[in-house]
Amino acid sequence: MKNFKQSKLLQTLPKQFFASLVEKSGKVVAEGHDVINLGQGNPDQPTPQHIVQSMQNAVLKPQHHKYAPFRGHDFLKEAVAAFYKREYDVVLNPATEIAVLFGGKAGLVELPVCLLNEGDTVLVPDPGYPDYLSGVALAKANMEVMPLEEKNNFLPNYQNISESVLKDAKLMFLNYPNNPTGAMATAAFFEETVELANKNNICVVHDFAYGAIGFEGNRPISFLQTAGAKNVGVEIYTLSKTYNMAGWRVGFAVGNASVIEAINLLQDHLYVSLFSSIQEAAATALLDSQHCVDELVEMYEERRNVLVNGLKEIGWDVNAPQGSFFAWLKVPNGYTSESFSDYLLENAHIVVAPGIGFGSYGEGYVRVGLLTSTERLQEAVDRIKKLQLFS
Ligand SMILES: Cc1ncc(COP(=O)(O)O)c(C=O)c1O
């Protein structure tokens, strides 16, 4: 069989850091150990029943078996507009300010290809969601990192970005509630962002994947709630986390009409649109009772409290996340993020994600997912206690 060589472009795609983690944990599972996997970001709960039911009904409609309209059904875009008005008091024009996406990841990877030319500069948070780098590579763009440090509440410090980088920057990724740090943005930070973006002609892409998940009654704010935000950027929302629909692949981009048009144009050439039944179920999720979302956030908060309080009790000085479903924990002295992850896997059969996999400023931390029951999280705390790392 001929072995066809991958294009030079594909060869520039970043290596999947977490593939080695999956392999290492797979070995420990194969040895027969009871592994607690806190390393991944896959929601563990099923999609709420009324959304599944909506899909079941929709599948029976013959009109949904045809091609869906290019750029998505009006009923879905109108549902998105109603959702943004209801949740954030943000007014969107369904025809020009909303693009339907095959999940948030697709939009995030498409955007650099839509807006950048070879050699253009993109500002990317470090630590950050690794898939931002995939789009940057496909666009052959140049990346500058914005460190997210604990002393700044994991918000980038714009004062530290040089004038020349700001002059070259065309695109900036932000993500709050933040993966991996669990930090939240403030209104003042978003105002500063709009000002910076306006001054330097930077398009802001706010990844709002964890938009529904804020703790202690603190609701995450939408970037589009900031005055002038639509002028400088877009927000990417996904149904994956809010409604446990990660497998369904549905999300949307909202905001600046020229950016929405660019996404739609690229997607005209790549796809037709999502399966109409998925679009119908997505509209149901956005428009029906949000009780399931309240219950989900309550569940994550309870898990967060079990984990964080448990770790504090055994002497690990950890901070509770403000939002998202991740905790970002400092590793004990003497370990790197990777050596500590390996240590936990080998000695406690617990998988966590080493911070270095999210960028160099992730060194010294591990990311722990809240995607298993309180009993399993308590079991993880008990296993860590036995290692006597903090006594
Ligand atoms: C920060 C962040 N953005 C975007 C996504 C993409 O989610 P999806 O492609 O399922 O919409 C994820 C998923 O893990 C994420 O953590």
Side-chain angles (χ1 to χ4, degrees):
M1 195 177 69
K2 281 187 195 293
N3 187 9
F4 294 103
K5 227 174 151 193
Q6 293 178 354
S7 66
K8 287 194 186 119
L9 184 62
L10 277 199
Q11 290 175 40
T12 64
L13 286 172
K15 297 280 163 289
Q16 289 283 351
F17 179 86
F18 293 105
S20 73
L21 182 70
V22 172
E23 199 180 302
K24 280 184 205 167
S25 61
K27 265 193 202 143
V28 182
V29 172
E31 285 164 14
H33 296 291
D34 171 26
V35 170
I36 304 179
N37 191 344
L38 308 176
Q40 287 169 344
N42 208 345
D44 61 311
Q45 295 295 302
T47 305
Q49 195 51 42
H50 69 285
I51 302 172
V52 175
Q53 190 66 57
S54 167
M55 174 75 174
Q56 283 176 325
N57 297 341
V59 162
L60 297 173
K61 299 180 183 170
Q63 73 267 31
H64 285 353
H65 304 165
K66 300 178 176 181
Y67 289 117
F70 274 86
R71 304 186 173 202
H73 281 284
D74 289 344
F75 69 72
L76 177 55
K77 288 185 272 189
E78 280 154 18
V80 171
F83 172 84
Y84 257 77
K85 178 76 184 105
R86 186 190 71 221
E87 297 292 325
Y88 305 111
D89 202 22
V90 167
V91 176
L92 295 168
N93 180 336
T96 57
E97 294 180 329
I98 299 171
V100 176
L101 302 173
F102 286 77
K105 173 175 169 150
L108 293 163
V109 176
E110 284 162 12
L111 269 163
V113 177
C114 288
L115 299 179
L116 301 177
N117 294 308
E118 189 170 342
D120 283 346
T121 294
V122 191
L123 295 165
V124 178
D126 177 353
Y129 179 59
D131 287 350
Y132 305 140
L133 312 190
S134 314
V136 174
L138 289 175
K140 299 186 183 176
N142 162 43
M143 187 179 82
E144 294 284 342
V145 302
M146 298 185 292
L148 305 187
E149 296 178 278
E150 195 161 340
K151 62 178 188 208
N152 299 324
N153 299 320
F154 300 108
L155 299 170
N157 183 345
Y158 294 140
Q159 266 69 49
N160 290 345
I161 309 176
S162 74
E163 278 302 319
S164 70
V165 167
L166 284 176
K167 198 163 94 359
D168 291 344
K170 300 261 165 57
L171 194 68
M172 171 195 282
F173 284 103
L174 291 174
N175 162 227
Y176 294 97
N178 184 255
N179 175 10
T181 67
M184 294 252 256
T186 58
F189 169 72
F190 278 157
E191 281 161 22
E192 203 192 334
T193 303
V194 169
E195 198 183 315
L196 182 96
N198 255 322
K199 189 165 158 220
N200 297 284
N201 293 316
I202 299 171
C203 175
V204 178
V205 178
H206 181 235
D207 176 0
F208 205 29
Y210 299 92
I213 310 171
F215 301 126
E216 297 175 23
N218 292 319
R219 270 201 98 218
I221 48 175
S222 157
F223 178 61
L224 296 189
Q225 286 172 296
T226 319
K230 251 194 226 176
N231 190 40
V232 295
V234 291
E235 187 154 82
I236 306 288
Y237 199 96
T238 169
L239 279 69
S240 294
K241 326 285 173 175
T242 308
Y243 304 103
N244 292 320
M245 292 173 74
W248 299 56
R249 312 311 304 136
V250 51
F252 43 88
V254 289
N256 184 284
S258 64
V259 179
I260 296 300
E261 175 57 29
I263 294 174
N264 277 330
L265 177 61
L266 177 64
Q267 294 195 151
D268 284 347
H269 290 267
L270 290 174
Y271 321 110
V272 178
S273 187
L274 277 71
F275 181 28
S276 296
S277 303
I278 292 185
Q279 297 194 42
E280 198 167 310
T284 301
L286 296 169
L287 296 177
D288 265 23
S289 163
Q290 302 297 298
H291 185 60
C292 56
V293 183
D294 297 339
E295 280 183 344
L296 189 71
V297 175
E298 235 172 74
M299 185 193 74
Y300 286 137
E301 183 156 347
E302 198 188 336
R303 291 175 177 183
R304 174 194 88 140
N305 294 344
V306 165
L307 178 78
V308 167
N309 296 340
L311 292 176
K312 281 185 176 162
E313 267 166 34
I314 65 169
W316 192 350
D317 180 23
V318 298
N319 289 327
Q322 297 174 296
S324 83
F325 48 49
F326 298 111
W328 186 238
L329 312 178
K330 256 201 188 118
V331 301
N333 286 337
Y335 290 93
T336 65
S337 67
E338 210 167 1
S339 71
F340 187 61
S341 303
D342 288 345
Y343 179 83
L344 284 185
L345 180 60
E346 280 155 28
N347 297 285
H349 307 137
I350 297 170
V351 183
V352 297
I356 189 76
F358 301 95
S360 60
Y361 284 85
E363 185 48 274
Y365 293 86
V366 289
R367 190 193 73 177
V368 176
L370 303 172
L371 301 169
T372 188
S373 65
T374 50
E375 290 74 23
R376 291 292 276 173
L377 288 167
Q378 186 58 52
E379 163 78 17
V381 171
D382 295 343
R383 289 188 196 177
I384 295 170
K385 183 177 180 184
K386 286 204 189 106
L387 302 175
Q388 299 196 319
L389 284 161
F390 306 98
S391 46

